[in-house]
């Protein structure tokens, strides 16, 4: 067992609190729904980036490459000034949903380079321009661009030309669970001498100004300066800490309090407000700093002139009173601890990432780093948010009509895996399910605990619905939670039956919600709205009556199939669950039967050989003949039942045999209990799938056609056929758009009309491998279609996986397709090994698009790399810790 595995075990047995501190600070707290107290729910304009430096946050904090404790009581992050910017750089900047021609988008370059699962070692990089940051240019140019043009990015401004920027590295190491070592390294990459202010900042989250008492509402803490090397920090709940600087430091003090005078023309509670550092450093206002050296926000002000190519390093240490740290010489063991943690982190990942190329190792390692850095403290109580706080004016009564009023039970105050801590600094339930697959390789207990968390009563609605995301918790996401639970359980060696049982009981509630709420006619044909696929249809599916959805019906069959697997596994330990296994088996068969034969052919179109959504009125059904991911999801609801498992479940076996004998008609339209060999063999497997073998071949014919779905870089979300042949209906049209969306549907910041998305590609790859385990080499199809090259389904799954990985691998010219047109990533030594894990990718070029740090589900790249080696090495430190 490695040292990091030992720390994980100590964390999970609660003998040590190794995860008390981590990268849990959001990268954007401003303009979030939880900070929005407006009458109309306009969160983008209620609390702007410009206000953020002067206004205390209600529900969290943000910062650059920051850390905090698991309740975000105390944060550490970086602030800086190049002597030219109009504002102090204390947080990442980006355009709002209204300012960007493709929605909100961060306009910065920063990278997550490394992290161990316990965050005992972490490293991040921010590239800070030496010229004045082009705030007006970014806003104006993007505003003047149409949705048919690309976004105007920070590198398009030319601000990084000739390498006129600083590389600002933040490294963290832990001496113990309450002893954090911090090293900042600032490198002038430019050709000339340049000036920089660096202000490492400690800040207590404001929990005292709201007029509330009880858990999470603590009195004002204090930070006091002892000398030019040392601070003393005291918090009623967090305890007493010390913070030391290696070199003599100019400490500047203020409070984390709103500047009411500036923002609202009312009296301030204190002369020392949140924006004091900006006013002092840039504006020269000395009275805004508390020279009595006390406050709730403190900066270590460092000013340096750095010659071209030179660098300097700043060392700090934060430790809890009582830790084994010499207060008179806190840096004596600093180097030894740092080097030890770096070696231990390497040792940990070297055990997991084996038998792969050096470049794939780098890809997977940075994917894991991003996954770990994108954990965030998320704090949101709907009841308190709707009520408003006693110390502030009561919110408008119509706020109950804006959003989330039916979620008053929801009280979130946890560390959660986020999609992207700037663009999506709030959880999305179906994203999170995919995050947990790569998480299982490096921290299986965290993966399990996150899946359990979203099923707890302070998350899940009493009616059984899992919350979607804060903009509308009642939106419907694809039901992939059961799949993630089953997948994580299997990846952990099927050892944690308590985890499986615990999730299963709550997932039954969620399944019941789906059946009661989304099968309104009781015919096993489901709706669900946009289901995470945003603009994939010709209209907004969330506001369309009479829509019978091929993907919704397939997702529920997929849900049902995974619940069948879980219940059959649990029935080995709890015989009463055998009846529930029979229920899910029969429900799966009923859904798939309707999918294929309801009112004739169900949602299958025999003429085209594809599954489509259908619009239905009182008299007719009209297929929306758009070949999209909607029609590929049905191949993912596939299952294999093993004879040796069935034989040990006599009640289930009896009921299944009755179906075999009495429902032979089902074979005509679905793959229904087809044995792969002699049924008397204990190794016999039965296939359950939505399409018949013949229909599967027809769907794959489209999916593997490079003029349809198969891109050089994976499976597109919409067929390329519609590039020249748009689908039209009622005056609207859908055409293939490989890159950014040209519509404003769902904010316009994502696109399912052509690009490649990792989560659905991963499910397709997994499904093809299941089909292969049943069909073996006898099932072969052309790949690509029309190529004359026949492959089995396992090899096809590997081919798709390789195409996805190819987006991140350098070609012969050193260019990685995911980096698109940014030349520095291919020809600059200070950029070429850096990776960004985008939200989705251009269907033709593989260029990364959307959120640039969505190392949530795009961290699935690590899963594909590891899975292709058949070498699934998962940390055993916590596999049996319940």
């Amino acid at each position: 067992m490695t040292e990091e595995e030992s720390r994980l075990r100590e964390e999970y047995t609660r003998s040590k609190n190794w995860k008390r501190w981590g990268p849990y600070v959001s990268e954007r707290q401003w303009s979030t729904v939880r900070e929005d107290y407006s009458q109309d729910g306009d969160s983008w304009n209620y609390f702007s980036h410009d206000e953020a430096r002067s206004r205390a946050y209600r529900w969290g904090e943000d910062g650059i490459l920051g850390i905090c404790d698991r309740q975000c009581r105390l944060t550490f992050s970086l602030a800086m000034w190049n002597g030219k910017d109009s504002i102090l750089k204390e947080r990442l900047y980006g355009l709002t949903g209204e300012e960007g021609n493709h929605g909100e988008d961060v306009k910065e370059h920063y990278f997550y380079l490394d992290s161990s699962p316990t965050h005992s070692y972490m490293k991040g990089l921010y590239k800070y321009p030496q010229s004045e940051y082009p705030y007006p240019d970014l806003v104006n140019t993007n505003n003047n661009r149409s949705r048919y043009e690309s976004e105007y990015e920070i590198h398009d401004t030319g601000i990084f030309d000739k390498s006129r920027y600083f590389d600002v590295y933040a490294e963290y190491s832990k001496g113990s669970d309450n002893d954090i070592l911090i090293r900042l390294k600032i490198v002038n990459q430019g050709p000339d001498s340049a000036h920089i202010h660096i202000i490492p900042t400690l800040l207590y989250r404001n929990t005292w100004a709201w007029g509330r008492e009880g858990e999470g509402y603590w009195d004002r803490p204090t930070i006091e300066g002892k000398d030019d090397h040392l601070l003393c920090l005291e918090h009623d709940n967090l305890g007493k800490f010390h913070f030391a600087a290696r070199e003599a430091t100019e400490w500047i003090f203020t409070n984390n309090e709103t500047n009411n005078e500036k923002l609202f023309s009312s009296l301030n509670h204190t002369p020392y407000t949140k924006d004091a550092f900006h006013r002092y450093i840039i504006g020269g206002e000395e009275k805004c700093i508390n020279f009595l050296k006390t406050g709730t926000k403190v900066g270590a002000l460092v000013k340096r002139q750095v010659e071209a190519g030179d660098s300097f390093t700043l060392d700090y240490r934060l430790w809890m009173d009582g830790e084994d740290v010499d207060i008179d010489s806190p840096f004596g063991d600093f180097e030894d601890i740092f080097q030890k943690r770096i070696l231990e982190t390497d040792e940990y990942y070297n055990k997991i990432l084996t038998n792969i190329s050096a470049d794939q190792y780098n890809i997977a390692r940075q994917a894991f780093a991003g996954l770990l850095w994108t954990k965030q403290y998320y704090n949101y109580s709907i009841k308190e948010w709707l009520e408003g706080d006693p110390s502030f004016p009561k919110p408008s009564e119509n706020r109950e009509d804006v959003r989330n009023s039916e979620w008053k039970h929801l009280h979130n105050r946890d560390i959660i895996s986020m999609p992207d801590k700037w663009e999506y600094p709030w959880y999305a339930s179906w994203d999170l399910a995919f995050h947990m697959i790569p998480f299982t390789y490096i921290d299986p207990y965290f993966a399990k605990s996150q899946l359990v968390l979203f099923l707890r009563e302070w998350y899940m609605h009493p009616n059984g619905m899992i919350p979607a995301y804060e903009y509308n918790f009642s939106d419907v996401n694809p039901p992939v939670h059961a799949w993630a639970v089953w997948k994580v359980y299997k990846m952990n060696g099927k050892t944690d039956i308590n985890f499986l049982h615990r999730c299963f009981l709550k997932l039954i509630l969620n399944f019941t919600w789906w059946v009661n709420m989304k099968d309104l006619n009781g015919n096993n044909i489901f709706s669900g709205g946009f289901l995470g696929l945003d603009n994939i249809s010709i209209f907004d599916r969330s506001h369309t009556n009479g829509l019978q959805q091929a993907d919704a019906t397939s997702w529920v069959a997929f849900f049902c199939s995974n619940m069948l697997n879980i219940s059959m596994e649990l029935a080995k330990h709890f015989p009463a669950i055998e009846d529930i296994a029979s229920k899910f088996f029969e429900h799966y068969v009923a859904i798939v039967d309707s999918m294929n034969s309801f009112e004739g052919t169900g949602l299958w179109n025999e003429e085209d050989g594809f599954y489509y959504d259908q619009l239905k009125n009182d008299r007719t059904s009209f297929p929306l003949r758009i070949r999209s991911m909607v029609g590929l999801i049905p191949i993912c609801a596939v299952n294999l039942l093993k004879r040796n498992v069935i034989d040990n479940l006599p009640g289930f076996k009896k009921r299944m045999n009755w179906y075999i004998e009495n429902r032979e008609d089902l074979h005509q339209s679905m793959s229904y209990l087809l044995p792969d060999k002699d049924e008397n063999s204990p190794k016999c497997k039965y296939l359950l799938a939505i399409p018949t073998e013949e229909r599967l071949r027809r769907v794959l014919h489209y999916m593997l056609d490079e003029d349809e779905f198969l891109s050089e870089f994976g499976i597109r979300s919409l067929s390329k056929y519609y590039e020249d042949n748009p689908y039209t209906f009622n005056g609207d049209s859908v055409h293939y758009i490989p890159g950014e969306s040209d519509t404003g549907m769902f904010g316009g910041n994502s696109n399912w009309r052509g690009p490649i998305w990792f989560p659905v590609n991963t499910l397709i790859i997994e499904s093809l491998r299941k089909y292969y385990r049943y069909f073996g080499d006898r099932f072969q199809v052309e790949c690509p279609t029309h190529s004359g090259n026949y492959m089995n389904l396992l090899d096809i799954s590997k081919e798709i996986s390789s195409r996805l990985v190819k987006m991140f691998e350098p070609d012969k010219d050193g260019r990685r397709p995911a980096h698109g047109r940014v030349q520095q990533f291919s020809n600059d030594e200070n950029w070429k090994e850096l990776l960004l894990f985008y939200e989705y990718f251009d269907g033709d070029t593989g260029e990364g698009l959307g959120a640039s740090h969505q190392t949530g589900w795009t961290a699935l790249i690590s899963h594909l790399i590891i899975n292709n080696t058949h070498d699934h090495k998962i940390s055993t430190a916590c596999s049996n810790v319940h």
Side-chain angles (χ1 to χ4, degrees), residues 258-303:
T258 297
N259 188 338
N260 292 309
E261 184 177 325
K262 175 187 176 183
L263 296 177
F264 309 116
S265 300
S266 60
L267 292 176
N268 283 330
H269 300 298
T270 170
Y272 312 115
T273 56
K274 182 180 177 182
D275 55 8
F277 296 173
H278 164 81
R279 293 157 57 200
Y280 176 66
I281 294 169
I282 297 179
E285 295 182 44
E286 292 196 355
K287 290 184 179 180
C288 63
I289 296 298
N290 188 349
F291 289 100
L292 295 178
K293 297 185 178 180
T294 184
T296 53
K297 177 181 178 181
V298 179
L301 179 56
V302 178
K303 309 172 188 177

Side-chain angles (χ1 to χ4, degrees), residues 540-724:
D540 183 348
R541 298 191 300 169
S542 296
H543 299 95
T544 304
N545 295 324
L547 187 63
Q548 299 175 328
Q549 293 182 223
D551 58 337
T553 306
S554 301
W555 282 125
V556 180
F558 180 74
F559 189 177
C560 202
S561 173
N562 283 289
M563 292 296 277
L564 171 59
N565 288 331
I566 294 171
S567 56
M568 291 179 72
E569 179 73 9
L570 289 173
K572 300 174 186 177
H573 305 270
F574 310 101
I577 293 182
E578 206 172 331
D579 293 349
I580 303 178
S582 293
K583 174 264 183 302
F584 282 113
F585 165 72
E586 294 187 20
H587 209 143
Y588 175 87
V589 171
I591 293 169
V592 175
D593 184 31
S594 291
M595 178 85 177
N596 286 301
S597 60
F598 179 69
E599 294 185 345
T601 61
L603 304 181
W604 173 258
N605 186 279
E606 181 61 27
E607 180 182 352
D608 292 359
F610 207 72
Y611 290 99
Y612 297 127
D613 285 350
Q614 290 190 3
L615 269 177
K616 181 176 174 60
N617 58 31
D618 293 337
R619 291 170 292 179
T620 61
S621 294
F622 180 81
L624 298 171
R625 295 168 69 174
I626 309 171
R627 290 192 294 280
S628 72
M629 189 58 66
V630 165
L632 297 182
I633 297 297
I635 71 173
C636 297
V638 56
N639 204 350
L640 296 175
L641 304 184
K642 297 179 180 179
R643 175 62 186 270
N644 59 351
V645 174
I646 294 170
D647 285 344
N648 290 318
L649 303 174
F652 177 84
K653 180 179 180 180
K654 181 178 179 180
R655 185 65 180 167
M656 189 190 83
N657 286 337
W658 182 92
Y659 253 77
I660 293 174
E661 294 169 5
N662 292 275
R663 292 299 308 274
E664 291 186 359
D665 58 298
L666 295 172
H667 290 293
Q668 298 174 13
S669 59
M670 63 177 284
S671 295
Y672 166 63
L673 293 175
L674 299 173
D676 66 341
K677 53 176 67 71
D678 182 358
E679 291 192 67
N680 294 318
S681 168
K683 295 183 179 180
C684 174
K685 294 183 290 292
Y686 296 93
L687 177 66
L688 286 174
I690 289 177
T692 61
E693 180 177 342
E694 187 269 338
R695 289 183 178 180
L696 176 62
R697 289 181 181 275
R698 295 184 71 183
V699 172
L700 293 179
H701 180 84
Y702 289 117
M703 191 182 86
L704 301 176
D705 189 336
E706 293 181 317
D707 292 326
E708 297 259 1
F709 287 99
L710 184 61
S711 163
E712 184 182 352
F713 304 104
I715 303 299
R716 302 177 175 107
S717 49
L718 181 77
S719 171
K720 191 177 174 66
Y721 170 82
Y722 300 104
E723 185 172 40
D724 298 321

Side-chain angles (χ1 to χ4, degrees), residues 476 510-529 547-549 552-553 556-557 583 587 590-592 594-595 598 603 616:
V476 184
N510 184 234
F511 185 83
T512 304
W513 178 87
W514 270 92
V515 172
N516 290 339
M517 300 300 293
K518 297 302 172 183
D519 177 19
L520 298 181
N521 296 317
N523 56 25
N524 292 308
I525 296 290
F526 289 80
S527 60
L547 187 63
Q548 299 175 328
Q549 293 182 223
T553 306
V556 180
K583 174 264 183 302
H587 209 143
I591 293 169
V592 175
S594 291
M595 178 85 177
F598 179 69
L603 304 181
K616 181 176 174 60

Side-chain angles (χ1 to χ4, degrees), residues 28-36 38 40-47 95-98 103-105 378 380 382 385 399-407 410 412 419-420 422-429 465 467-477 530 534 543 746-747 749:
R28 179 174 63 82
Q29 186 70 16
W30 55 275
S31 289
T32 57
V33 165
R34 52 198 182 279
E35 297 291 344
D36 174 24
S38 67
D40 56 1
D42 184 3
S43 59
W44 282 117
N45 291 309
Y46 178 77
F47 198 139
L95 302 186
T96 68
E98 297 173 356
E104 63 269 26
D105 188 50
Y378 186 84
Y380 195 15
I382 295 293
W385 179 73
R399 287 186 73 245
E400 292 246 354
D401 301 325
V402 174
R403 57 167 61 93
N404 295 331
S405 61
E406 65 274 29
W407 289 82
L410 188 138
N412 300 163
D420 179 313
W422 193 94
E423 189 145 341
Y424 305 114
W426 30 262
Y427 61 77
S429 58
M465 187 180 188
Y469 44 80
E470 68 176 26
Y471 269 90
N472 185 359
F473 285 122
S474 294
D475 263 348
V476 184
N477 279 182
F530 80 104
D534 294 12
H543 299 95
F746 292 92
N749 65 331

Side-chain angles (χ1 to χ4, degrees), residues 437 482-492 766 863 867:
I437 307 311
W483 166 78
V485 166
W486 177 239
K487 184 83 174 173
V488 168
Y489 172 75
K490 289 192 299 177
M491 290 175 70
N492 273 274
E766 180 178 288
H863 171 61
N867 214 37

